[in-house]
Amino acid sequence: MHAWSVPEIPKLPGRGTLPRVFDTARGEAVPVGSPDGAALYVCGITPYDATHLGHAATYVAFDILVRAWRDAGIPVRYAQNVTDVDDPLLERARQVGEPWEAIAARETAIFRDDMTALRVVPPDRYIGVVESLPQIIGLIEVLRAQGFTYEVDGDVYFATHAAPDFGAVSHADRDTMLRLFAERGGDPDRPGKKDPLDALLWRLKRPGEPNWDAPFGRGRPGWHVECAAIALTHLRIPLDVQGGGADLVFPHHEMSAAQVRAATGRPFARSFVHTALVSYQGEKMSKSLGNLVFVSRLRADGADPMAIRLALLAQHYRTEWEWQASMLDDATRRLVRWRAAVTRRAGPPAEPFLAELRARIADDLDTPGALDLVDEWAATRGGDGSAPNLVNAAVDALLGVRL
Ligand code: 5CA
Ligand code: ZN
C-alpha cells in the first residue's frame, strides 16, 4: 500500500542523544535503537471509524520517537500494518451492508489524510494484510512444520502452551490473560482447543467471508500472525521497538512475539512500547463503545491540525487521560503564542533551549516537559537575533509542529 507524504523536517545543528523509552516487558525505561539503526513496527489501524483521537495520540507518540532517532543521526526503518481483513471490519461491513473492501479503502484514505495533516512521518513500509497473504501463510507453514500448531475442525491454532517465553511481554497472570483474551478477540471457550489461550492462525472459509487459498484449506488469517509475518518480512528481527496502544499488550503483542520466537528461535523485539489509552466521556475511546472524536471532524470544524497535534503532545504518552474540548482551545492559544514568539526579531539564546528540548524528549518522550520549555522560551525576552528561527526549526523537527 502507499503510505502518505513525508513532511519536511528541518535540519538542526548538532545531534540529539539516543532516546530512553519505557519497555513494558522489562518494566523500566531503557535506551532504544543504536547508532547503527532502529527498526520500528507500530500496529496500524483496523480500517473503520478512523482516525479517532486515541489512534492519533498513539501515532503522534511514535512519531516523536522517529523524530528523536532521526535527530540523533540514527537511520530508522519503520513498518506499520493495516488490518484490512479481520472480524470487527467484516462485522461492520455486514452491519452497514457495504463491501468490506470499500470500507477499508475509504477509512485508510481518511487515516492517510489525517496523518498528513498532523505531520506524522510515514512508515517506510505501509502494509495491508490482503497484500501479505503469501508471507502470512508462509509463517503459519513454518509454525506447522515445527509442531507449534494443531487443528480444531480444520481451523489452525497456535499452541501457546508449547511456546517458549509465553508471558514475557505482559507478565500477566493466567486469570488476567484469560479475561483479556476473551475481551480482545480471542475464543477461550471454543471446544476442542488444547489450551483456552491458544490463538487462531487460520480460519477456514465460512459463508459470506472473504477467503484465500492455502495449503491448509481456503480461509483467512487470524489477527496476531498478521503482524508477526509483516514485521518479519519487512524489518530485521529483533525489532528495536514493537509499539502500539496499551490495549495491545495482551494478547496481541504477547502472541505475535511468541509466534516469531517459535518460528525463528529469536526474540521478536528488544523493547515493547505502549501508549496509554485516551478516554472520552468517562470511558476508553473505542470503536466498540462509539465514544469517538475524529481528527477529520475537528479539522472540518476548523481546527488547525497543529493545534490538534499540540493538544495530544500536552499529554504524556504513558499517562491515561480524557479528551475535553477545552484542550483544543488551550492548544490553539498556545499555538498563537508560539507563532508570535518565533516571529519576534530576537529571543533568548536557542542553543541551551535546544539541548534542553532534546533532553526532555530523550527522557521517555516527555512532551509535556518539552511544551513547557517552549512556553518558557516564548514568554521570555532576549536579544539573540538568530534564536527565533532556530526555535522555530526545533519545534518543527522534534515536535512536528509547524509554526
Ligand atoms: N489493527 C489493530 C492492530 S494490529 C488495531 O488495534 N487497530 S485499531 O484501529 O483498533 O487501533 C489502532 C491503534 O490505535 C493501535 O495501536 C491501538 O492500540 C491504538 N488505540 C486504539 N484505541 C486507542 C485509544 N483510545 N487511545 C490510544 N490508542 C488507541
Ligand atoms: Zn498488530
Side-chain angles (χ1 to χ4, degrees), residues 65-83:
L65 176 60
V66 167
R67 288 167 179 271
W69 273 329
R70 293 173 69 126
D71 181 53
I74 294 169
V76 182
R77 289 278 294 171
Y78 177 11
Q80 187 181 127
N81 66 306
V82 184
T83 307

Side-chain angles (χ1 to χ4, degrees), residues 33-249:
S34 79
D36 300 338
L40 171 68
Y41 185 94
V42 180
C43 281
I45 56 165
T46 303
Y48 68 101
D49 285 347
T51 314
H52 65 62
L53 287 172
H55 299 148
T58 290
Y59 298 113
V60 165
F62 287 101
D63 187 48
I64 296 295
L65 176 60
V66 167
R67 288 167 179 271
W69 273 329
R70 293 173 69 126
D71 181 53
I74 294 169
V76 182
R77 289 278 294 171
Y78 177 11
Q80 187 181 127
N81 66 306
V82 184
T83 307
D84 56 4
V85 183
D86 199 16
D87 299 341
L89 173 62
L90 299 177
E91 198 174 305
R92 171 60 63 90
R94 269 193 297 272
Q95 274 167 12
V96 300
E98 198 182 349
W100 60 273
E101 299 97 320
I103 299 177
R106 186 183 60 234
E107 297 286 322
T108 307
I110 294 172
F111 180 72
R112 287 188 186 101
D113 282 352
D114 290 335
M115 291 297 106
T116 306
L118 293 174
R119 299 185 72 81
V120 170
V121 177
D124 311 290
R125 299 297 181 98
Y126 193 48
I127 308 288
V129 174
V130 173
E131 62 184 334
S132 303
L133 282 151
Q135 291 86 8
I136 296 171
I137 292 166
L139 178 56
I140 298 172
E141 281 287 76
V142 172
L143 290 168
R144 272 212 315 170
Q146 297 181 356
F148 285 106
T149 70
Y150 64 92
E151 292 185 9
V152 178
D153 303 330
D155 293 341
V156 184
Y157 277 85
F158 176 63
T160 45
H161 52 273
D165 277 353
F166 187 75
V169 176
S170 64
H171 302 289
D173 59 45
R174 191 162 169 90
D175 284 349
T176 307
M177 285 185 179
L178 285 166
R179 179 174 57 78
L180 293 176
F181 190 64
E183 281 173 21
R184 297 171 177 168
D187 55 357
D189 300 326
R190 181 169 181 182
K193 287 175 65 172
K194 292 185 181 169
D195 182 320
L197 291 174
D198 292 344
L200 187 71
L201 291 168
W202 190 259
R203 178 176 153 91
L204 282 190
K205 179 172 185 284
R206 306 287 202 277
E209 290 190 1
N211 54 84
W212 292 268
D213 206 17
F216 20 87
R218 288 192 75 84
R220 63 180 170 94
W223 174 25
H224 317 299
V225 70
E226 132 197 7
C227 285
I230 293 174
L232 270 175
T233 305
H234 298 282
L235 297 170
R236 64 159 163 74
I237 301 295
L239 308 169
D240 291 286
V241 171
Q242 156 71 313
D247 56 333
L248 301 184
V249 177

